[in-house]
Amino acid sequence: MSPHWRALDIDLSTGRIFNTEFPESRVRLFLGGRGLGAAILRDLTGPGTEPLGSDTPLIFATGPLTGAGVPSGDRFSLSTLSPLTGTVLDTNSGGRLGRSLKRAGWDLLIIRGAAQSLSILKVDNSGGELLPAGEMRGERVSTVLGKLGRTYGKSCGMAVIGPAGERVVRYASIMTERMRAMGRGGAGAVMGSKNLKAIVVMGSGEVKVHDRGRLKVVLEESNRWLRAHPVTSKALPALGTPMLVNICTRAGIFPMANFRRVAVGESKAYSGELLAREFTVGRSGCTGCYIRCGRITEVDGVRGEGPEYESLWALGPNLDITDLKAIIRAAHLCNELGLDTISTGGTLSCAMELGSLDIRRSSLNFGDSEAVLKAIGLIAAREGEGDELAEGSRTLSRKAGAEEYSMQVKGLELPGYDPRGVQGQGLAYATSSRGGCHLRGGYLIAREVLGIPKKVSGREVLGKGGHVARAQDFGAVADSLSSCRFATFALTQEYWSRMVSAVTGWEMSGEDMMRAGERIINLERILNVERGIEPEQDTLPRRFLSEPLGEGACAGEVVRLDDMLEEYYARRGWPGGVPDREKREELGLS
Ligand code: SF4
């Protein structure tokens, strides 16, 4: 591996293109991907940088494993600032873009400034070129992907925005050629604010591997574990993430109607099993993945990607909609328009609850699937009520003077797990670096519901500070290596460290990598604090803290956040919620 990581650095405003190099010693500190992206983001932005201003960079970062043939490890990260939350934002996706960048000889793609008119950025081994995209204005994601595929060949990596990104909807997503989303936090709005409709990457070189023999050995062992683990070998391939619908329902944490209640009894109307039986016509997945958790579904002759668990929940039961056909249509539409499904659902459910309480006038009612389809179109176009909905649930509810009905943390709408029955997940939502996110928080559902790596009680609070901190650190490692979280269900940090050593020649133990994960979490916290996101925002919507669950397996529970937060801050070494000088020095952070 080269002693430097190479970045193609493009200023869309001036058209200037730079080749920048990052010393390997710095890359190792942050591993690559999400970690390196956060470090560069701190270099390039300041406390006053506006997420939608032209100064905000889009940093596409590969990981050390990208393109090396590691299972579920062909992903890449995008780091920027979130126009929805104001926090640091990283988002991790599967698609050919990361692998294509590596093959073109680039480890990173940094995009700054804003183009004067709607453009496509084409990247190859020799550099980058800006091309006009005016005729694509307003076009849906699959239309743009189809055109790019016909022009540049189907093997290139692509990242595109839909109409929602062009209209700078604050939770617009970026989609890859495999309809995999960079969904959360509004990266699509940042790309839209730069007048960038699409990025196409073509690479023709080889990805270097330090020791192929050593890699072969560890891959054989890793693949055996992936094929033996019940989740990665059976449940995810068979049902995809919607396998969680009935599991979470039985656990008493499957939310309905903007978290006003949880589902009880098994759902037959919208389960993963029904989705597989009635609507799934194929599996899909990220490049280089054996698990392939994605679903291709068809409704009335129209095919599309998904819904996965979160989309199914957010656009279905979260809106009191249980008709699976209607849910699939809504999920397909969000993908086509380039909208994050969780924030779309969370904003609609907030509007529905405000409307039902006569706090705010709305055409939206719980259970009305036709109104939801119409509203999704209005949001993407920022027309009528859609313009207000496009700002997200926090802004919507604040304007109505009723923020408590917005189910979000730091402005990011929550996914489909009621934290009252999974206390650790509640702490994870409260402390995640990008707001109310199950993944950046540490995905405690693995421990509290699925029993991975071992079962801990969801109703217990003692010890959750340590569980969340450790899960967050490991998540940061996975995102920075650009591997998939699901593969970490079967493979411990030791396997990942052996893969990294084989590919890069870096000799790192599993604990060295966990230390890097801790460094990344601390860096993101520092970045957020510098941006004015104070620890007081490590909280949850009032509903979870003071309204006990009324029914189901966790009836009577509220989230006991204060106890867990105290333990978490102590475990992290963050007095008052902020890394102090001693902690920064210990981790080599200024
Ligand atoms: S398990 Fe699913 S999300 Fe993960 S890499 Fe495979 S297809 Fe992508």
Side-chain angles (χ1 to χ4, degrees):
M1 181 157 270
S2 150
H4 294 96
W5 272 36
R6 296 182 70 224
L8 184 66
D9 188 341
I10 295 172
D11 186 334
L12 299 176
S13 300
T14 62
R16 289 181 64 187
I17 299 179
F18 309 86
N19 296 353
T20 311
E21 293 188 337
F22 294 89
E24 193 197 75
S25 54
R26 184 161 191 228
V27 176
R28 274 180 76 152
L29 278 178
F30 300 100
L31 298 177
R34 169 182 168 184
L36 186 59
I40 297 171
L41 190 67
R42 191 164 181 229
D43 293 344
L44 299 183
T45 62
T49 308
E50 286 294 326
L52 294 175
S54 63
D55 290 346
T56 296
L58 286 169
I59 304 163
F60 290 86
T62 64
L65 302 179
T66 307
V70 162
S72 313
D74 222 4
R75 299 166 68 86
F76 60 93
S77 279
L78 169 60
S79 296
T80 187
L81 298 173
S82 168
L84 186 62
T85 65
T87 62
V88 56
L89 173 65
D90 82 282
T91 170
N92 184 285
S93 184
R96 283 189 291 265
L97 191 136
R99 179 195 290 189
S100 299
L101 271 177
K102 284 275 199 211
R103 284 186 174 167
W106 308 110
D107 300 295
L108 299 133
L109 173 63
I110 301 173
I111 302 168
R112 332 183 200 200
Q116 284 183 353
S117 57
L118 199 64
S119 302
I120 298 168
L121 175 62
K122 180 167 78 78
V123 173
D124 59 22
N125 298 42
S126 60
E129 185 184 1
L130 215 52
L131 304 164
E135 88 287 355
M136 289 182 175
R137 185 173 297 286
E139 285 185 346
R140 293 184 172 201
V141 167
S142 63
T143 306
V144 177
L145 291 173
K147 282 184 177 175
L148 294 175
R150 285 190 292 280
T151 307
Y152 299 104
K154 290 204 183 329
S155 63
C156 58
M158 302 175 203
V160 312
I161 58 170
E166 286 180 46
R167 302 289 291 156
V168 197
V169 174
R170 284 186 189 267
Y171 44 92
S173 57
I174 302 175
M175 306 295 291
T176 73
E177 75 287 339
R178 295 197 168 206
M179 286 303 240
R180 314 305 281 174
M182 285 161 262
R184 307 246 55 202
V190 179
M191 190 156 151
S193 74
K194 298 187 175 306
N195 256 327
L196 197 54
K197 180 72 176 174
I199 301 165
V200 186
V201 183
M202 289 164 286
S204 58
E206 265 204 26
V207 178
K208 288 196 185 75
V209 171
H210 173 74
D211 186 339
R212 285 203 180 271
R214 196 170 163 192
L215 183 62
K216 187 165 175 268
V217 172
V218 66
L219 289 187
E220 279 168 5
E221 285 179 43
S222 304
N223 284 330
R224 273 204 294 278
W225 281 110
L226 284 167
R227 289 191 160 88
H229 196 286
V231 175
T232 53
S233 72
K234 291 197 175 69
L236 281 172
L239 298 179
T241 53
M243 69 162 187
L244 286 166
V245 171
N246 276 331
I247 293 173
C248 289
T249 302
R250 282 194 293 274
I253 60 162
F254 190 79
M256 305 286 292
N258 205 34
F259 293 84
R260 292 199 295 186
R261 61 180 200 280
V262 289
V264 286
E266 292 219 337
S267 159
K268 296 211 167 32
Y270 50 82
S271 67
E273 289 78 359
L274 183 69
L275 186 78
R277 207 168 48 241
E278 300 288 331
F279 299 103
T280 302
V281 293
R283 284 166 63 197
S284 66
C286 308
T287 48
C289 179
Y290 138 85
I291 303 167
R292 298 177 75 220
C293 70
R295 308 290 93 179
I296 307 288
T297 49
E298 183 176 309
V299 169
D300 299 335
V302 180
R303 288 188 178 194
E305 169 82 27
E308 38 71 55
Y309 171 79
E310 306 298 346
S311 307
L312 189 159
W313 164 79
L315 299 167
N318 177 47
L319 307 176
D320 242 349
I321 293 168
T322 55
D323 172 3
L324 198 43
K325 266 192 179 186
I327 297 169
I328 295 169
R329 274 201 203 100
H332 288 178
L333 185 58
C334 283
N335 284 344
E336 283 289 356
L337 299 175
L339 284 168
D340 176 41
T341 52
I342 302 177
S343 283
T344 302
T347 302
L348 292 174
S349 64
C350 175
M352 287 173 179
E353 183 159 9
L354 292 173
S356 73
L357 297 171
D358 284 331
I359 294 173
R360 177 185 173 276
R361 285 176 59 146
S362 173
S363 59
L364 290 154
N365 295 303
F366 281 114
D368 186 347
S369 57
E370 285 307 314
V372 165
L373 281 179
K374 189 170 166 213
I376 291 171
L378 291 174
I379 291 169
R382 277 191 174 269
E383 283 174 4
E385 189 182 2
D387 193 31
E388 215 180 338
L389 295 169
E391 294 294 304
S393 67
R394 181 169 66 175
T395 301
L396 186 85
S397 60
R398 272 185 185 165
K399 272 178 85 173
E403 192 173 331
E404 64 271 30
Y405 297 105
S406 163
M407 298 299 117
Q408 48 74 30
V409 174
K410 302 184 180 82
L412 188 70
E413 288 74 16
L414 294 173
Y417 315 93
D418 194 309
R420 286 168 285 194
V422 274
Q423 299 282 329
Q425 191 59 48
L427 176 63
Y429 290 153
T431 56
S432 147
S433 60
R434 66 180 188 186
C437 173
H438 53 306
L439 294 170
R440 295 306 174 276
Y443 202 57
L444 264 284
I445 297 304
R447 294 171 193 228
E448 295 182 322
V449 177
L450 301 175
I452 301 170
K454 64 176 187 202
K455 185 89 169 76
V456 295
S457 166
R459 301 175 85 162
E460 183 58 71
V461 295
L462 195 66
K464 290 295 166 65
H467 280 293
V468 168
R470 187 110 181 131
Q472 287 175 346
D473 293 349
F474 193 23
V477 170
D479 293 339
S480 302
L481 300 181
S482 289
S483 59
C484 174
R485 297 293 184 93
F486 293 133
T488 65
F489 285 1
L491 301 175
T492 63
Q493 61 263 30
E494 272 67 37
Y495 281 91
W496 296 106
S497 70
R498 286 172 61 198
M499 288 187 237
V500 169
S501 298
V503 173
T504 63
W506 306 344
E507 291 304 331
M508 294 185 92
S509 68
E511 276 311 307
D512 290 339
M513 290 209 312
M514 292 297 281
R515 190 73 165 155
E518 184 189 5
R519 183 175 297 113
I520 294 159
I521 297 291
N522 275 265
L523 173 65
E524 291 174 346
R525 169 66 51 149
I526 291 167
L527 252 163
N528 278 343
V529 171
E530 286 173 349
R531 294 191 53 74
I533 316 288
E534 298 290 344
E536 288 69 40
Q537 293 190 49
D538 292 346
T539 188
L540 293 170
R542 195 161 74 200
R543 172 160 292 163
F544 302 123
L545 304 175
S546 59
E547 293 175 25
L549 274 176
E551 53 196 337
C554 301
E557 293 285 357
V558 293
V559 181
R560 286 160 281 154
L561 184 62
D562 287 347
D563 294 347
M564 293 190 291
L565 258 183
E566 196 178 318
E567 188 187 69
Y568 174 80
Y569 289 154
R571 167 70 168 68
R572 282 250 172 254
W574 293 354
V578 180
D580 59 12
R581 205 174 68 190
E582 196 183 332
K583 177 53 79 176
R584 291 175 192 227
E585 282 174 2
E586 179 190 314
L587 294 168
L589 297 168
S590 54

